[in-house]
Amino acid sequence: MRWYLKLLPILFILLIWQIASVLINNAFILPQPLSVAAVLSNPTVDILGSGSIFDNAILSIWRVILGFGLAVLCAVPFGIIIGRYRLIEELVNPVIQLFRPIPPLAWVPLALAWFKIGLASIVFIIFIGSFFPVLINTIDGVRRVNRTWIETAAIYGAKGWKLLAYVILPASAPIIWTGLRVGFGVAWMCVVAAEMLPGTTSGIGYLIMYSYNWGQVQVIVAGMIVIGVIGIGVDVVFRAVEKRKFQWQEMNR
């Protein structure tokens, strides 16, 4: 499909948006696209003393990097161990299944009680939200490694860290990468939600709530668009790496 054809749905949404905003004629309910575009065209301008869209977005990204990075550092090794050893999986699986369905925001009261309002509580919520998608995909990726590859490598003397580095990790990497992609998407949603909590003073989620309190709906919509654009941008990077590094997976199917 040609690139300009992909713009048609966006143009259609903008047209419907413009018509609806004119018919409603209430900027607090639905601002016009041009007023939102005016906010987006000046991303470094301070908004009502709460910082610019750019500054708040950078803070949100930094928080996601911290929380998501910690989740990856914990979930990937843990997932490899669980995936490799059936006994450990049987022991910890009930605990994983108990905590996995709990929504990240359900941890907010505990996060506030343990870490108070601030960076630590936000990072904790991001960590919880992204930990389980990465963990489950890592376990699944390790368990799906072709047993013939492992047995063949063992015949040639590969064991321990060599077996892990040269067979298990490369073979399970595509599924682990999918877990990272899903986990980052969840982490990005978590940071925005966590930044909307009372007491938070920065971040794109905070900017949205702060603008709501002042009736600046055009800023709210602009913030939502920024959230979507950043999410799309990161996902494009994940997909580009997947396409470049894991082409062999398609050939193996």
Side-chain angles (χ1 to χ4, degrees):
M1 181 182 292
R2 298 184 183 276
W3 65 269
Y4 54 81
L5 293 178
K6 297 180 181 180
L7 296 177
L8 291 179
I10 297 176
L11 294 175
F12 178 74
I13 291 173
L14 288 174
L15 177 62
I16 297 300
W17 178 5
Q18 175 64 35
I19 294 173
S21 62
V22 171
L23 293 176
I24 294 173
N25 194 28
N26 188 335
F28 187 78
I29 297 177
L30 185 64
Q32 294 193 12
L34 286 179
S35 63
V36 176
V39 177
L40 293 173
S41 64
N42 296 283
T44 59
V45 174
D46 182 80
I47 299 174
L48 301 172
S50 60
S52 66
I53 285 184
F54 178 81
D55 292 337
N56 283 289
I58 291 297
L59 284 172
S60 295
I61 293 172
W62 171 241
R63 289 163 178 164
V64 168
I65 290 174
L66 287 176
F68 178 70
L70 288 173
V72 172
L73 289 176
C74 295
V76 171
F78 193 33
I80 292 172
I81 294 172
I82 296 174
R84 282 286 292 154
Y85 301 102
R86 179 69 65 176
L87 177 60
I88 296 178
E89 180 183 5
E90 292 177 356
L91 289 173
V92 302
N93 187 60
V95 179
I96 294 174
Q97 297 307 321
L98 174 65
F99 287 102
R100 186 172 63 89
I102 301 175
L105 291 184
W107 291 87
V108 168
L110 283 179
L112 296 178
W114 292 343
F115 306 108
K116 308 303 179 184
I117 296 173
L119 177 63
S121 59
I122 294 175
V123 169
F124 174 76
I125 295 171
I126 297 168
F127 173 87
I128 290 294
S130 53
F131 176 81
F132 288 103
V134 178
L135 176 67
I136 298 301
N137 278 271
T138 301
I139 295 172
D140 188 47
V142 172
R143 289 181 60 184
R144 290 193 182 191
V145 175
N146 194 317
R147 299 299 303 177
T148 303
W149 298 350
I150 296 177
E151 293 168 0
T152 303
I155 292 174
Y156 285 95
K159 59 182 179 179
W161 70 268
K162 287 187 177 180
L163 183 64
L164 176 66
Y166 293 109
V167 179
I168 295 174
L169 280 179
S172 59
I175 298 179
I176 295 176
W177 189 256
T178 299
L180 298 182
R181 180 181 171 189
V182 175
F184 190 92
V186 176
W188 187 236
M189 290 187 288
C190 286
V191 71
V192 174
E195 288 171 347
M196 291 182 177
L197 297 175
T200 309
T201 58
S202 60
I204 198 73
Y206 161 76
L207 180 63
I208 288 175
M209 286 303 298
Y210 184 82
S211 300
Y212 170 77
N213 293 332
W214 287 91
Q216 300 297 309
V217 182
Q218 73 276 12
V219 178
I220 296 174
V221 177
M224 293 170 64
I225 292 174
V226 169
I227 292 169
V229 168
I230 293 175
I232 290 173
V234 174
D235 193 66
V236 166
V237 173
F238 271 105
R239 283 189 294 172
V241 174
E242 182 178 14
K243 185 177 181 179
R244 183 178 180 85
K245 297 297 184 181
F246 305 131
Q247 286 183 338
W248 59 267
Q249 185 185 31
E250 297 296 329
M251 296 173 61
N252 192 49
R253 289 176 178 174

